[in-house]
Structures are given as structure tokens and as C-alpha cells.
Amino acid sequence: MTRQVKVAVVGSGLAGLTATYLLNKPVADVEFEVHLFEKAPMLGMDSSSVSLPASDSSSVEDAWRVDVPMRSFQGGYYPQLIALYTRLEVAFREANFTYSFSLLTPPSSTRGRQINATMIYNGSSGCAGLSMPSILDEPYHLTKGKGFLTRAFTRVWTVSLFVLLTLYIGVCYVRMLFYSLPFWRPKWIHKMTFEEWAKWTIPKDIFSKWTGMDLAWIDYTQSVLLPLFSAVCTAPEEDVLRHPVEEFLDYIWLTLGTHHYVVTHGVREVVARLTASVQNIHLASTITSISPDPNDPNRSNIECDTPEGPRVHTGFHHIIFATQATRAAPLLRSYRDALSPTSSKRQAVDAQLQCLENFKYCSTIVINHTDPTLLPNNPGDQRDLNLICLDREAVTDQENGTFDWSATTVPPSYTMATHVLCLPRYPTHLPPVFQTTNPLISPEEGSILSVARLERAVLSMESKEALKGLYREEGRKWWQCASQGSARLGELQGAGRLADIQGSGIWICGSYVYAGIPLLEGCVVSARSVVEQGVYVAEGVYSTSPPW
């Protein structure tokens, strides 16, 4: 006889949607009744996205959906995500982005605001090479009207300088790849931050000092790697410096020679396919408390505030928190406080709470707009993705203290990333659309189409250690990165459910419950682990075939 097991999934981001999708798949002897809870009026993965006109028609069908934040992914680092999308038949396409790296100089009494490119990367994993930034070519243009020899000498000088800089960057790039080799890393690499690694890898031999390679490497880590990972993690410089470097090296190695991809029709299609068979979706339902079911100690009740008033959902055998650690913790506290002070279940939930306290988040602002002044000043320097940092050397203490930071900007230690959106069927008479993540300067007020404020998990040495309680690496081959090895759920997962402690199974998944940078891949991997190694095992069932 088929048993019915009731499961609550809290949060409708990719982790929650994946867990819901997996639990709706048929298994022998058990029918899972899954309830998906979302506090927003829309499902979370698509809740911040915006629709723009794609033709002269004003119908919803003709609107073009712009994902917020940008949901690109790269082959090599996202195998489970790509496999899931392939299984769902979600269309995605190559988007091998080009990049510009620029410095922002705020306006002063003598000059206007400047955004000057320092490096232009033409994508394709370096195969397309670099382009000369306009600032290097400026001396040549200043010789216009002067003699032929002057102009020829200036041209040779600027090209030679660009070639030399390209050579330095190329050597640094190869050196970075060498250090990212899994089998060449020191045994203590898992204990090293990016800041420590950047100092440790500075070449100290006489030849490097004589040729300036030591200074070139310092500049490469500070001017290329630091802003790059600040943009990838959407985190400020200080958090990137304290970030464990092993995960950055894994990212570099696993994405080498691979393509970037984006979902062709936006994540709205992903949401639709993942929830196609879900019957119990509770939108605009803010969970206020969780408590043991008085009629069955192995189940729990969930109380929500809804537009229609308070509502209680009863009888859950399992609760999956697929939301941020900072949002899961208050709900877990309400459950813990409802348990007996001497119960083993309370101690298990307490351990989960202590674990979650180690995970840090940073605020992120994403603005869709039509203001081109958030790009490099010279149109020739503009690329698909434009990474811009504040030029601290050009900012005096007085200017830094009076710089006009607004409600739509972030502190100056972030990297501003502006994506030039290419929208199919977008009306040509309308201005181009840009998506800026973590703006250092605010777009013109009349150009702003939408503003979204989000929170992103940022890995630290403390959270990496705490992660072992939720997701534990079991082993890997000598050529593998951490995310490629075998792994299992940490001992804190389930809050004792796998150890026969009475009470509902409490499971935690999300981008941060994974051996890597907290990105979309972590959502899929952690959700699958919680379902297959957690809920399935607790209920004594097994899937007869892999989900994808």
C-alpha cells in the first residue's frame, strides 16, 4: 500500500524548485505530497525579472523577459545545472562574453567623471586575445597635425607598449593556470585565502625582479582577478580577499576552454517546467512559525501570514529550507523553542542553528536602465560585460569623503558590472538596455527601468568549515577539484532524522550548501543531495533511475 509523506519546501529559488521537482517524481511505495512556500507573490527565481516590449504590440506574449540577476552559466563548472536544463528541454545558447576592465575616476572641480578601460578581453577562453584600450592609443591621437616622424614614432611606441603589456598579461595568465592545476596545489591550499595566495605566489627570484614580473603579477591579481571574482561573487573587495582561494582556483580550472551559456527564453521557462506538476504552491505566504504537530510528534505544523489572514498547514514529515541561511535561522528558532528543553531533537536543531550562523551574506543591487554613461567613455572600449572599479589612486581623501553615494549605489569596494543586453525583437526606436550589478554611480533617474535589491551568500573560511556539517566531501581523485569528488550529506542534515531521533526531518539546501562558490550549481547539487540522500533514505525509498 502506498504511503503518503508530506513535505514542505521553504523558498522557491532554484534550490527549492529543484527539490520540489525531484520529490514530485514517482517512487515505489511512497507518494510525496509537496507544498512549496514563497513569501513573495511570484516564484522566487523569476520574481525580480522584468518584462520589456519586444515589438510594437503591448501584449504580454510579445514582451521580452530580462532575468534579474543575470543567470549565465559556464560549461565545466555547472555540469548538474546543464544536465537538469537538458532533461527539462530548456533551451539555452552560447554567449561567449567579451569583457572590459576599467577604472572609474569621480568628477572633480577640474574634470568630469572618467571611466577608462585598462584591459579588454575578447572572450573565448583567451583564444580571441586582447584589444588595445583607447587610453594607450591616446598619445598617438594627440600628435594629429604634427610631423610624420613624430606620429610614426608615437605609433610604434604605443603598439610596442601594448605588445609588452599583453606579453606580461599572457605570462600571468599561464602562471595562474599552472597554480590552478588540482594536482599542483599545496596540501594546505584549503586553508588559504585569496589574499594570502596572491602574496604567496608573487615570484621572488632575481630574474622576475629584474624583468618586473613580480610587479606584473601583483597588478594582475589586483586589477584582473580581484575585480573578476568581485563580479562573480557580487561581493566587495574585502570579502573577496578573505574568500578561500581553493574555490577560485577550481572555478578557473573547470571553466578553462568552455563556453558561457544563457537560457534562451529566460528563467521563466525554467520555473514553468520545474513546477509543471506541482499542485500545492503557496505564494504570498510568509511563514511566521514552525511547531511540532500536537497530534503526531513525528510531524510539524507551519503557520503563515497570507493576504487572506493567518493560516496553519499541518502534518509535515519533512521540511526543506531552500532559502538563505539568515532567513532559515529565525524559523528554525521558532521550531526549537517549541521543543522540550531536554529533547534530543532540540539539541539537533540547536546544532543546525549554530552552523547557519557562520554563513555570511552581502547586499547586491541590480538596475536595468538605458543610461550609457555607466560604460567606458570610449565606445571602442565597451564590451558585453564591463567591469569597473574605483580608481583609488586618483581619488583624494576630500573627494572620497564627499562622493555622492545614493540609495541606488553600493560602497566603493565593490566592482560595478554593466551588461549590454542584446534583446531579440526589441524595438529599434527604443534606447539600448543595460543591466548594472552593484552600481558605483547611479544611472540618470529617468533612465531607470527597475531596481532589485538582493542578498548573496559569500564564502569565508568560517563558513567553509561550518559547511562540513551540511555537505561533506568524502574523497576525490588526484586530478579532481573539490566539487568533482564524491560527497555526502553532513551529520547535521535532517536534525537527527537519519539517527532515528523523533520529529520532522529538517533539511537545508541552497547555493551555499556546496563545495564551491555559491552559484546556481550549488542550488541543484544540494537539492538533489537532500532529496536522494536525505528524504529518500529517511523514508526507505530509492529512485530507480537518475533524475537527469
Side-chain angles (χ1 to χ4, degrees):
M1 183 176 177
T2 301
R3 291 185 293 118
Q4 188 171 71
V5 175
K6 200 170 180 181
V7 182
V9 178
V10 182
S12 64
L14 183 57
L17 294 176
T18 303
T20 302
Y21 167 77
L22 292 172
L23 287 168
N24 271 282
K25 286 180 167 293
V27 293
D29 302 325
V30 170
E31 179 184 348
F32 289 103
E33 180 186 329
V34 186
H35 290 251
L36 180 61
F37 292 88
E38 172 55 54
K39 68 175 184 177
M42 296 178 60
L43 290 173
M45 192 179 184
D46 192 47
S47 62
S48 298
S49 301
V50 296
S51 295
L52 299 177
S55 68
D56 291 334
S57 170
S58 60
S59 67
V60 176
E61 291 76 14
D62 287 332
W64 182 259
R65 196 71 169 167
V66 178
D67 293 338
V68 177
M70 184 178 71
R71 306 282 189 173
S72 69
F73 50 99
Q74 195 162 359
Y77 201 76
Y78 295 83
Q80 293 290 317
L81 178 74
I82 291 174
L84 171 62
Y85 284 179
T86 302
R87 181 61 177 265
L88 294 172
E89 297 183 347
V90 170
F92 54 90
R93 58 180 176 82
E94 290 183 12
N96 290 318
F97 299 118
T98 58
Y99 296 78
S100 71
F101 294 78
S102 303
L103 291 176
L104 163 66
T105 305
S108 67
S109 57
T110 59
R111 51 171 169 71
R113 184 179 70 206
Q114 298 290 314
I115 300 179
N116 294 311
T118 56
M119 191 181 91
I120 299 174
Y121 173 75
N122 292 322
S124 300
S125 290
C127 296
L130 305 177
S131 293
M132 181 187 294
S134 61
I135 196 169
L136 284 181
D137 210 28
E138 187 175 340
Y140 174 73
H141 293 294
L142 292 176
T143 62
K144 187 175 182 179
K146 297 186 178 181
F148 169 78
L149 290 178
T150 300
R151 300 205 74 197
F153 174 80
T154 305
R155 169 58 77 187
V156 170
W157 181 80
T158 56
V159 171
S160 299
L161 180 60
F162 172 66
V163 171
L164 180 62
L165 292 175
T166 301
L167 179 62
Y168 274 120
I169 292 172
V171 173
C172 289
Y173 180 76
V174 172
R175 200 166 184 268
M176 174 192 70
L177 294 180
F178 174 77
Y179 278 113
S180 70
L181 288 168
F183 54 83
W184 199 259
R185 303 175 196 172
K187 293 181 179 179
W188 62 86
I189 193 69
H190 64 284
K191 298 181 179 179
M192 189 177 289
T193 65
F194 174 75
E195 183 176 25
E196 293 167 341
W197 177 85
K199 293 178 180 178
W200 176 70
T201 52
I202 297 173
K204 300 175 179 62
D205 57 278
I206 298 297
F207 178 77
S208 295
K209 292 183 178 181
W210 181 74
T211 58
M213 269 308 303
D214 54 344
L215 299 178
W217 179 253
I218 293 172
D219 184 69
Y220 183 79
T221 56
Q222 294 179 349
S223 303
V224 178
L225 295 184
L226 187 57
L228 176 64
F229 284 110
S230 177
V232 169
C233 300
T234 63
E237 175 183 301
E238 54 269 23
D239 286 341
V240 176
L241 291 172
R242 292 193 294 262
H243 196 290
V245 75
E246 182 180 24
E247 284 70 18
F248 288 167
L249 297 177
D250 287 351
Y251 185 90
I252 291 168
W253 179 249
L254 292 174
T255 58
L256 178 64
T258 62
H259 296 290
H260 269 103
Y261 300 97
V262 293
V263 176
T264 305
H265 304 297
V267 297
R268 182 164 52 180
E269 181 186 10
V270 177
V271 172
R273 292 182 183 272
L274 284 172
T275 58
S277 61
V278 182
Q279 297 180 354
N280 303 294
I281 298 178
H282 308 284
L283 298 177
S285 296
T286 302
I287 299 176
T288 56
S289 67
I290 300 173
S291 59
D293 190 327
N295 299 318
D296 187 342
N298 284 319
R299 301 192 186 196
S300 296
N301 299 339
I302 293 178
E303 184 174 349
C304 300
D305 280 341
T306 71
E308 294 77 30
R311 183 177 178 185
V312 178
H313 301 267
T314 62
F316 291 102
H317 297 86
H318 300 275
I319 300 175
I320 298 175
F321 286 100
T323 186
Q324 296 164 349
T326 50
R327 294 181 181 176
L331 300 178
L332 268 179
R333 287 192 192 97
S334 70
Y335 180 63
R336 177 201 62 187
D337 294 343
L339 297 168
S340 169
T342 59
S343 69
S344 299
K345 190 68 173 181
R346 182 174 180 129
Q347 295 176 14
V349 175
D350 251 333
Q352 288 183 325
L353 281 168
Q354 292 172 16
C355 175
L356 292 180
E357 289 174 356
N358 291 281
F359 293 93
K360 179 182 179 181
Y361 287 79
C362 64
S363 299
T364 294
I365 299 177
V366 182
I367 302 180
N368 288 306
H369 61 92
T370 58
D371 184 358
T373 65
L374 271 65
L375 297 170
N377 288 19
N378 192 306
D381 293 338
Q382 298 169 8
R383 292 298 186 267
D384 300 328
L385 289 172
N386 302 274
L387 309 184
I388 300 168
C389 300
L390 182 67
D391 185 359
R392 297 175 185 271
E393 294 182 0
V395 180
T396 64
D397 292 338
Q398 182 179 2
E399 288 173 328
N400 199 29
T402 59
F403 196 80
D404 185 21
W405 308 114
S406 70
T408 53
T409 60
V410 295
S413 58
Y414 280 80
T415 295
M416 177 170 72
T418 296
H419 180 203
V420 180
L421 300 178
C422 297
L423 306 178
R425 300 179 290 112
Y426 185 69
T428 56
H429 66 278
L430 295 178
V433 178
F434 312 100
Q435 184 175 104
T436 297
T437 302
N438 292 330
L440 299 175
I441 47 179
S442 181
E444 292 292 332
E445 187 173 345
S447 71
I448 295 177
L449 303 174
S450 70
V451 179
R453 291 175 173 83
L454 312 168
E455 288 188 337
R456 283 280 303 273
V458 181
L459 193 62
S460 65
M461 297 306 297
E462 293 77 18
S463 61
K464 182 173 181 176
E465 183 64 26
L467 177 63
K468 296 176 182 178
L470 304 175
Y471 180 95
R472 180 176 289 274
E473 181 187 352
E474 284 194 317
R476 52 177 132 157
K477 305 296 184 183
W478 60 271
W479 67 86
Q480 290 180 322
C481 297
S483 60
Q484 295 177 301
S486 58
R488 59 178 174 84
L489 289 181
E491 60 184 9
L492 301 182
Q493 289 280 20
R497 186 67 172 79
L498 298 178
D500 295 326
I501 293 178
Q502 195 175 55
S504 297
I506 306 295
W507 313 93
I508 299 169
C509 63
S511 63
Y512 62 97
V513 190
Y514 170 69
I517 301 172
L519 297 169
L520 294 177
E521 180 73 3
C523 296
V524 177
V525 172
S526 62
R528 180 176 177 179
S529 298
V530 159
V531 171
E532 294 183 344
Q533 300 179 29
V535 177
Y536 281 2
V537 173
E539 296 300 331
V541 299
Y542 301 92
S543 177
T544 56
S545 61
W548 47 75

